[in-house]
Amino acid sequence: MSVQKIGDHIVREEDRRLLIGKGRYCSDVKASNEAQGYVLRSPHAHARILSIDTTEAAALPGVIRILTAADIAKRGLGTLRPFVPRKRSNGTPGFIAPQPLLCGERVRYVGDPVAFIVAETLNQARDAAELINVDYETLPAVIGADAALAAGAPALYDDNPGNEAFYLEMGDKAATDAAFATAAHVVKHRIVINRITANSMEPRASIAQYDPVDERYTIRCTVQSAHGTRAALAGQIFKMSHDRVRVICDNMGGGFGMKGGVYVEYALTMFAAEATGRPVRWTSDRSEGLMSDEQARGSIFDTELALDKDAKFLGLRAFNTASIGAYFSSERPTIPLTAALGCLVNTYTFPAVHTTLKTVLTNTMTTAPYRGGGRPEPIFVTETIIDKAAHQLNIDPVELRRRNTVPATSMPYTTAMKQVYDTGDFGKNLEDVLTMANYDGIETRRSEATKRGKILGVGVATAVAGTGGRDFEFAEVKFDPSGRVTLTTGAMDHGQGHGTVFKQVLSEKLGIDADLIRYQYGDTDLVYMGVGTFGSRSAILAGGAVTIAADKLIEKGKKIAAHMMEAAVDDIAFENGNFAIAGTDKTVTMSQVAKHSHQWGQLPNDIELGFTENANYGPANSATFPSGAHICEIEIDKETGKLALTRYCAVDDVGRVINPLICEGQIQGGIVQGIGQVIGEEIVYDPDSGQLLTGSFQDYLMPRADDFCNFELGANTSPTPRNPLGVKGVGEAGTLGAIPAVMNAVNDALHRIGAPEIEMPATPEKVWRAINAAR
């Protein structure tokens, strides 16, 4: 290989290794004498536990230990709790509802953990679970947010009648009310966003060991933040210093936000390893994951848009009611509901915006961030209400967007929600994608589709969302005496290609062969600190930290090179991997400097031995604003309601692109996940019993390859000045545009034949019923 540069099309270094089965996922790592763990889960959505009898189960051959809530209490283990104080709508403190590691008094959703069985084999543990006698007294359950807030609704917690968890209000209510008072047109729409879950390739898993000599735990688990997981397990649950817990995560088959939390099973395997003296493994199966993985989305927005006589936007109101599930144990449910409300403004010149959020506890699994981290929901709301307004006012949806788009000349632009867009040309994104999609030819294609018994719909959406503005990230660059390099970051790779991308950054910066660089992450004993990977932050923050650490190495290298060449430090210049005396051809390479730095006695006293530097990067103004415009065309079969994607085009501005190949893959993956939510994915609970009705892939409709058309992608590039690399987040860009573009296309098709609008997911049955309602 050779020096790799930013902008090069480099195939991910890990692809071949993973494809030939040489990955190191949780299930690939075996421990000597390991035992198997299994969770007994509640079959009821809401019930009081009267008694738990494990006598018969404990007597089964192979059963090593059965843990219940009594064991948790005896050991004195804690629970997670949110750190950020919240208020309810009446001004009282938000209702904190920590999830117990194992339920001992009451269960509050189907799948709530009741007991943890440890046995020699998984089948023995499962057999034992069937023999545990739990006496339940069933209680009324509430599933949807509206039902939980209704007068007289059953309370999940006796001391929280009404089931409200917390409330939030943002924006300028007075200005928004004044805008609506002068509006020529007001468009109203209730927008229901379906609840979904991640279904990552690798299910959640953990294997834990306990060292009684050091009194120290080692847990290998599927997590998006090794250090955050360690902090929660050690600090909140086991109540000990962080150094007594080591968290490891090598390869991980997808996270998408769902693996960002600290689940009870991780703590249970650690406690079980301590209690049994054996390594203990737990792995979720697919149905268990659908039941117990954190879920996402699932909001109801009552939305109003005010326009003047020329169809210019005056104001936007959005009142969100959201079910967060049975527990409020951490910030996980709050992040997607609160962190991105500024996205309601999107790419438009709204003078005034006002929004409220009321969160509700229900007898369901809890919610958390999922690809987009709360950004897709407000963008979907705004893009949906714009199309609704276009239909009501008989204006082309594209034209309505044009009239209200923030012009490039206004950058940097401060929105009504006080976000500052640094760079971007939203109008150019839109015009470029219209050209790419041959938007002017839509009526010809519509006519041709009609002749074939199809209804053609077209959906347009724009998107802009903040990325990278949260916390910091860590990087370390360490040369060994042979001149090879270990690059370490606190970012976690679960499919993004970090090893490839960060090597490109370091290879170009130091001018060294990329083959000399080894990338490591995901081990709290090897990585000094870090935050993790979520919210499209890694290239911005970890990439920035790599750049700064490299700069520090170059400065140290100048001192060593000056000593080696007997020159003044100020006379040393660095370029393309070489330190040179300015104005001469006398040089030493980066590798030579690194090797020299390890020679004891060959360095001046003011230069430390070795060639290592680290950096943290996370300035207060690090938020960047990638943007894009997406267009989707679909055809609906009039007789069956089945829809087919026939054209999909997108133009995105993600700032400076480090690796175009990986960037395009990220956008395509995001588009697929967004479309999956539109065409079929949905978590459904029975509203009366609380039973999960989508507990397998026979009922939870995952998208397949033949559900998609080819994606045509384009790019605009406006590097941001807010980080050393000029990059913006890309991991969620595809999802932000795909959800509204495809759903707007569906409702555009239905609007054309006078059919009622539908909400996601746009299943064939739902579409067929709308078509027949029009007939």
Side-chain angles (χ1 to χ4, degrees):
M1 200 178 282
S2 60
V3 174
Q4 293 179 356
K5 294 185 177 297
I6 293 174
D8 288 350
H9 292 249
I10 306 295
V11 175
R12 294 193 314 177
E13 63 170 18
E14 66 266 38
D15 283 353
R16 184 178 186 279
R17 174 171 50 83
L18 297 178
L19 289 170
I20 64 174
K22 298 298 184 181
R24 192 182 291 128
Y25 298 94
C26 195
S27 294
D28 291 320
V29 179
K30 308 298 181 184
S32 176
N33 199 34
E34 69 178 46
Q36 303 297 317
Y38 181 78
V39 180
L40 175 66
R41 300 184 181 276
S42 167
H44 304 291
H46 199 190
R48 188 172 287 110
I49 297 176
L50 302 179
S51 64
I52 302 176
D53 185 354
T54 63
T55 306
E56 187 177 0
L60 272 184
V63 175
I64 302 168
R65 184 71 183 266
I66 299 176
L67 301 175
T68 64
D71 299 293
I72 302 296
K74 184 177 180 181
R75 176 62 175 77
L77 298 181
T79 62
L80 301 180
R81 296 182 69 88
F83 292 113
V84 179
R86 301 284 176 182
K87 297 285 188 181
R88 283 179 279 192
S89 55
N90 62 7
T92 60
F95 186 79
I96 306 302
Q99 180 176 12
L101 299 181
L102 292 171
C103 298
E105 297 179 356
R106 194 184 289 195
V107 293
R108 290 185 167 88
Y109 70 95
V110 172
D112 223 350
V114 175
F116 191 72
I117 303 98
V118 183
E120 298 290 348
T121 70
L122 181 57
N123 284 337
Q124 288 172 331
R126 285 172 169 162
D127 290 343
E130 293 184 2
L131 295 179
I132 296 176
N133 183 21
V134 184
D135 188 7
Y136 293 101
E137 176 191 346
T138 57
L139 301 170
V142 285
I143 303 305
D146 284 345
L149 289 172
L156 269 74
Y157 298 87
D158 294 339
D159 53 346
N160 186 39
N163 297 310
E164 183 181 337
F166 68 90
Y167 176 86
L168 181 69
E169 185 172 0
M170 289 182 65
D172 190 328
K173 184 178 186 301
T176 306
D177 289 347
F180 272 82
T182 63
H185 309 283
V186 174
V187 179
K188 300 182 179 182
H189 190 34
R190 169 168 266 215
I191 300 169
V192 180
I193 300 176
N194 48 326
R195 181 181 277 220
I196 56 175
T197 191
N199 294 303
S200 53
M201 180 182 72
E202 181 190 21
R204 287 190 297 114
S206 63
I207 177 169
Q209 302 180 60
Y210 178 70
D211 183 343
V213 176
D214 290 341
E215 297 182 325
R216 193 167 190 259
Y217 304 83
T218 298
I219 180 168
R220 183 180 293 272
C221 49
T222 49
V223 293
Q224 293 176 223
S225 172
H227 293 84
T229 300
R230 181 182 67 175
L233 289 170
Q236 293 194 70
I237 296 177
F238 282 82
K239 304 173 185 175
M240 60 177 61
S241 59
H242 291 191
D243 67 297
R244 291 180 58 189
V245 177
R246 178 186 185 186
V247 176
I248 305 171
C249 179
D250 290 318
N251 296 126
M252 181 167 63
F256 312 116
M258 181 270 289
K259 291 177 183 170
V262 178
Y263 290 83
V264 298
E265 294 89 354
Y266 304 157
L268 291 173
T269 53
M270 288 172 58
F271 179 31
E274 173 194 332
T276 63
R278 302 264 298 270
V280 176
R281 178 186 301 278
W282 170 82
T283 304
S284 171
D285 63 33
R286 189 59 66 186
S287 290
E288 189 176 17
L290 284 162
M291 184 186 300
S292 64
D293 292 347
E294 288 174 330
Q295 297 166 4
R297 318 279 202 238
S299 291
I300 302 171
F301 282 86
D302 290 297
T303 314
E304 301 176 1
L305 173 62
L307 307 93
D308 69 11
K309 61 182 179 58
D310 298 318
K312 290 283 288 182
F313 299 159
L314 299 176
L316 180 69
R317 293 184 180 128
F319 308 118
N320 181 11
T321 307
S323 159
I324 64 170
Y327 297 104
F328 183 22
S329 297
S330 70
E331 269 67 49
R332 299 284 293 160
T334 71
I335 293 169
L337 294 171
T338 64
L341 284 173
C343 289
L344 284 165
V345 176
N346 203 13
T347 59
Y348 307 109
T349 55
F350 285 107
V353 177
H354 178 239
T355 181
T356 63
L357 163 69
K358 181 178 285 189
T359 65
V360 190
L361 294 161
T362 57
N363 292 113
T364 61
M365 180 57 194
T366 54
T367 57
Y370 174 65
R371 197 165 191 168
R375 302 169 185 85
E377 294 92 315
I379 289 174
F380 178 77
V381 165
T382 300
E383 292 298 303
T384 300
I385 197 74
I386 289 174
D387 262 35
K388 179 84 171 181
H391 292 157
Q392 287 192 11
L393 301 180
N394 197 28
I395 299 175
D396 183 278
V398 168
E399 176 57 28
L400 185 55
R401 287 171 169 83
R402 280 191 182 120
R403 294 184 192 181
N404 293 282
T405 294
V406 175
T409 54
S410 296
M411 296 297 174
Y413 179 80
T414 302
T415 75
M417 298 289 272
K418 308 306 179 186
Q419 290 184 310
V420 181
Y421 298 158
D422 55 327
T423 60
D425 190 335
F426 307 151
K428 188 174 188 304
N429 291 341
L430 181 59
E431 298 306 324
D432 285 358
V433 83
L434 292 172
T435 300
M436 182 186 295
N438 185 20
Y439 188 75
D440 290 341
I442 188 68
E443 292 307 322
T444 299
R445 297 194 293 279
R446 197 186 307 276
S447 176
E448 292 171 351
T450 301
K451 294 174 183 177
R452 292 182 278 107
K454 311 290 185 182
I455 313 166
L456 188 146
V458 59
V460 182
T462 68
V464 61
T467 61
R470 179 181 170 194
D471 301 316
F472 72 97
E473 202 46 82
F474 169 83
E476 181 179 59
V477 182
K478 180 187 295 185
F479 280 79
D480 68 21
S482 72
R484 294 188 66 84
V485 186
T486 299
L487 168 61
T488 303
T489 78
M492 300 288 293
D493 190 327
H494 34 99
Q496 293 89 346
H498 286 175
T500 304
V501 169
F502 295 149
K503 280 186 181 182
Q504 283 180 253
V505 173
L506 188 63
S507 178
E508 177 180 283
K509 190 74 178 175
L510 298 184
I512 59 175
D513 189 331
D515 274 348
L516 296 176
I517 305 170
R518 180 172 69 92
Y519 178 62
Q520 67 179 19
Y521 67 96
D523 186 334
T524 56
D525 273 12
L526 299 179
V527 184
Y528 176 58
M529 65 178 73
V531 176
T533 295
F534 39 80
S536 299
R537 68 193 298 276
S538 296
I540 300 165
L541 298 179
V546 171
T547 303
I548 294 170
D551 283 336
K552 293 166 72 174
L553 270 178
I554 291 170
E555 291 306 306
K556 181 175 181 178
K558 288 180 179 179
K559 296 178 182 178
I560 299 172
H563 171 73
M564 293 172 69
M565 294 186 288
E566 298 180 340
V569 173
D570 291 344
D571 291 336
I572 302 298
F574 177 79
E575 186 177 5
N576 297 328
N578 295 305
F579 296 93
I581 300 176
T584 75
D585 59 359
K586 192 172 183 180
T587 67
V588 291
T589 66
M590 174 68 73
S591 180
Q592 288 173 320
V593 167
K595 292 176 181 178
H596 191 80
S597 74
H598 289 86
Q599 296 178 19
W600 177 255
Q602 300 299 311
L603 295 175
N605 291 333
D606 64 338
I607 299 178
E608 292 183 356
L609 189 69
F611 206 46
T612 300
E613 291 289 353
N614 62 57
N616 290 320
Y617 180 73
N621 65 339
S622 64
T624 68
F625 291 89
S627 60
H630 292 222
I631 291 183
C632 174
E633 284 184 32
I634 58 109
E635 290 184 359
I636 296 175
D637 187 287
K638 293 181 180 180
E639 301 305 319
T640 65
K642 182 174 175 58
L643 67 87
L645 274 70
T646 56
R647 179 171 299 196
Y648 196 102
C649 300
V651 172
D652 283 283
D653 173 5
V654 297
R656 188 183 184 193
V657 177
I658 298 175
N659 186 316
L661 191 64
I662 291 178
C663 179
E664 183 173 322
Q666 286 284 298
I667 293 173
Q668 290 202 18
I671 291 171
V672 166
Q673 284 193 265
I675 294 174
Q677 178 175 358
V678 175
I679 66 176
E681 290 189 61
E682 185 175 29
I683 287 287
V684 180
Y685 288 92
D686 182 90
D688 297 320
S689 68
Q691 291 297 317
L692 180 64
L693 302 180
T694 50
S696 75
F697 283 167
Q698 289 183 314
D699 305 296
Y700 188 95
L701 185 59
M702 288 288 286
R704 306 192 312 180
D706 61 359
D707 289 320
F708 303 99
C709 59
N710 289 328
F711 303 143
E712 187 175 352
L713 304 182
N716 283 321
T717 301
S718 61
T720 175
R722 292 184 176 175
N723 62 72
L725 294 173
V727 298
K728 305 175 184 178
V730 68
E732 293 152 323
T735 306
L736 303 184
I739 299 173
V742 178
M743 198 61 209
N744 282 347
V746 173
N747 279 322
D748 175 67
L750 295 176
H751 173 76
R752 298 281 171 175
I753 62 170
E757 297 165 340
I758 63 172
E759 302 288 356
M760 295 186 290
T763 60
E765 179 187 0
K766 196 182 292 185
V767 174
W768 179 83
R769 291 186 183 279
I771 293 171
N772 278 273
R775 288 172 178 163

